[in-house]
Amino acid sequence: MTTSGSVADGEASPDGPTGSTRRSQRVTISDLARRLHISKASVSYALNGRAGVSEETRQRVLDLAEELGFHPNSAAVALSASRTRTIGIVVARDPELISTEAFYMRTLVGIEQYLNEVDSSLLLRLTGEHGEDVDVLRRWSRQGRVDGFILFDEHDDDPRIPVLQELGVPCVVVSSNAPDDTVGRLISSPAETVSLLLDHLAELGHRDIAHISGPFTFVHEQLRVQILQEQAARRGIAVRQIEGTYRYDDGAELTRQLLSGPNPPTAIVLGNDLMAVAALRVAMDLGTAVPDEVSILAWDDSPLCQLARPGITAVDQKTMERGRAAADLLLRIVTGETELHEEAPGGELRPRESSGPARP
């Protein structure tokens, strides 16, 4: 990753040593990182003389850069010199929901930690949910206040991406898929999380589960539902799909309907930690034993899941690490990186007391 006045992706010099590459072949920071089996951020730190890497690693990077004839791309250096060293995030969500949902808080912490390390800043705005975010993107872009944007919650016919492409402003979409739309994307496919949850439930004997998701308007929720249904069918598990809103009250009401109706499911998977806590509370209010009568699982882990009693089984989505990765990718794109897509860190299942064997 590079910062203002720093080394950006470059090319093998026509006059430099060739090593194992041809002199005309472009050499990037990504190539150096791949050859040395270290992160691109570590390569950038070493090239720019920044703290964050050992002297041994720094020397290995410098030696390989010299061997391959790596030098800064002049266009990227010019761009770097004119940067604001500020990235923008405009979130079109109800502030009350954001203040209680751990996903955004932990993601923003990861972004801020990373930007602090590379001496850059974050400009954040919370807007309404009726297109105000697009107005802010246009205004900040035209005013030159940021170098690029990180976008969350992509939805069908999302207007933000074509607007930023029209304005020529880089962006990174925290995405669940990888369409060929020439914009930066941190790819976090739900397939891995689905496998973790379904394998866990299958081992416990569950064959009839419910999934209370977030709004279907979001691309990542559409893909979650599709992959969950496909993988569940292969495992012989029936899934009742219910659309939710991520809100506590919604999770509580939908759980109450499931557990009060005929043939309640043996397990409920909820789209975020807040709805999972609501489901646990409703089960207790109804006298439904967790996990003896119903297992409760959350798509996202958080302190809420850890502190609940019983503790709620959840998937640690590595949200802080994903925030860091999104910021790193955006700043590399700003300074000339041509690799637009990067895989997000994988999740990890955190089994707790809320999941147990399916009732007979």
Side-chain angles (χ1 to χ4, degrees):
M1 119 96 244
T2 58
T3 57
S4 181
S6 61
V7 174
D9 272 353
E11 297 182 356
S13 168
D15 301 320
T18 58
S20 59
T21 66
R22 293 176 299 146
R23 295 185 180 187
S24 60
Q25 182 178 348
R26 186 173 187 270
V27 179
T28 68
I29 283 179
S30 301
D31 297 325
L32 299 179
R34 192 177 305 113
R35 286 170 177 263
L36 295 171
H37 303 290
I38 60 177
S39 70
K40 285 172 271 192
S42 295
V43 171
S44 182
Y45 293 156
L47 292 171
N48 296 314
R50 290 184 176 275
V53 294
S54 67
E55 285 306 314
E56 178 185 358
T57 299
R58 189 185 313 279
Q59 194 58 51
R60 289 173 59 212
V61 172
L62 295 176
D63 288 346
L64 182 60
E66 181 179 0
E67 175 188 341
L68 299 181
F70 176 93
H71 67 274
N73 180 290
S74 57
V77 170
L79 175 62
S80 178
S82 63
R83 286 171 54 198
T84 67
R85 294 200 296 184
T86 300
I87 69 171
I89 296 178
V90 184
V91 180
R93 284 281 198 97
D94 182 346
E96 181 179 348
L97 178 61
I98 292 177
S99 68
T100 54
E101 189 182 47
F103 170 81
Y104 269 110
M105 292 299 100
R106 293 171 68 86
T107 300
L108 290 173
V109 167
I111 292 170
E112 278 282 23
Q113 284 182 341
Y114 183 82
L115 293 177
N116 182 60
E117 292 172 6
V118 298
D119 193 26
S120 296
S121 302
L122 171 65
L123 193 58
L124 174 66
R125 176 69 57 85
L126 305 182
T127 74
E129 301 176 88
H130 304 288
E132 298 93 336
D133 55 333
V134 177
D135 294 334
V136 176
L137 293 176
R138 288 185 183 277
R139 186 164 64 253
W140 286 1
S141 298
R142 289 169 175 163
Q143 292 172 347
R145 300 182 65 182
V146 298
D147 296 320
F149 293 93
I150 296 178
L151 305 181
F152 297 96
D153 296 332
E154 182 182 11
H155 49 273
D156 290 331
D157 299 322
D158 198 314
R160 298 172 298 173
I161 295 172
V163 163
L164 292 178
Q165 287 180 308
E166 174 190 344
L167 294 170
V169 178
C171 69
V172 165
V173 184
V174 179
S175 177
S176 58
N177 57 359
D180 185 18
D181 54 9
T182 67
V183 300
R185 288 182 179 271
L186 183 72
I187 309 300
S188 53
S189 170
E192 181 183 40
T193 297
V194 168
S195 294
L196 291 171
L197 291 168
L198 289 181
D199 286 347
H200 180 67
L201 289 171
E203 289 173 3
L204 294 172
H206 292 274
R207 293 293 180 268
D208 179 14
I209 71 174
H211 176 221
I212 301 177
S213 69
F216 292 160
T217 54
F218 296 141
V219 172
H220 68 265
E221 285 293 353
Q222 297 171 21
L223 197 56
R224 282 185 188 185
V225 171
Q226 175 189 335
I227 293 176
L228 181 63
Q229 293 286 353
E230 292 172 352
Q231 290 201 20
R234 290 198 292 268
R235 291 170 170 82
I237 298 175
V239 180
R240 311 180 200 182
Q241 179 60 52
I242 304 171
E243 182 181 11
T245 63
Y246 298 131
R247 299 176 184 278
Y248 181 97
D249 291 346
D250 205 39
E253 178 57 30
L254 294 173
T255 300
R256 188 179 303 278
Q257 294 175 17
L258 283 169
L259 297 182
S260 301
N263 303 315
T266 63
I268 304 175
V269 178
L270 296 108
N272 71 346
D273 56 329
L274 202 59
M275 290 197 297
V277 171
L280 180 62
R281 177 62 182 269
V282 166
M284 296 172 65
D285 289 347
L286 293 175
T288 303
V290 178
D292 294 342
E293 295 179 89
V294 64
S295 290
I296 292 176
L297 302 89
W299 194 277
D300 297 324
D301 193 20
S302 77
L304 288 177
C305 296
Q306 299 165 26
L307 296 173
R309 290 294 177 267
I312 299 174
T313 295
V315 177
D316 180 357
Q317 301 286 358
K318 310 293 184 184
T319 48
M320 289 178 64
E321 291 88 341
R322 291 184 181 188
R324 294 177 62 89
D328 176 69
L329 177 58
L330 176 57
L331 292 185
R332 286 190 279 110
I333 290 172
V334 166
T335 52
E337 173 71 66
T338 58
E339 296 180 19
L340 298 177
H341 292 177
E342 185 164 318
E343 292 292 330
E348 186 174 345
L349 183 71
R350 305 293 187 195
R352 298 191 180 97
E353 299 85 2
S354 71
S355 58
R359 64 176 182 268

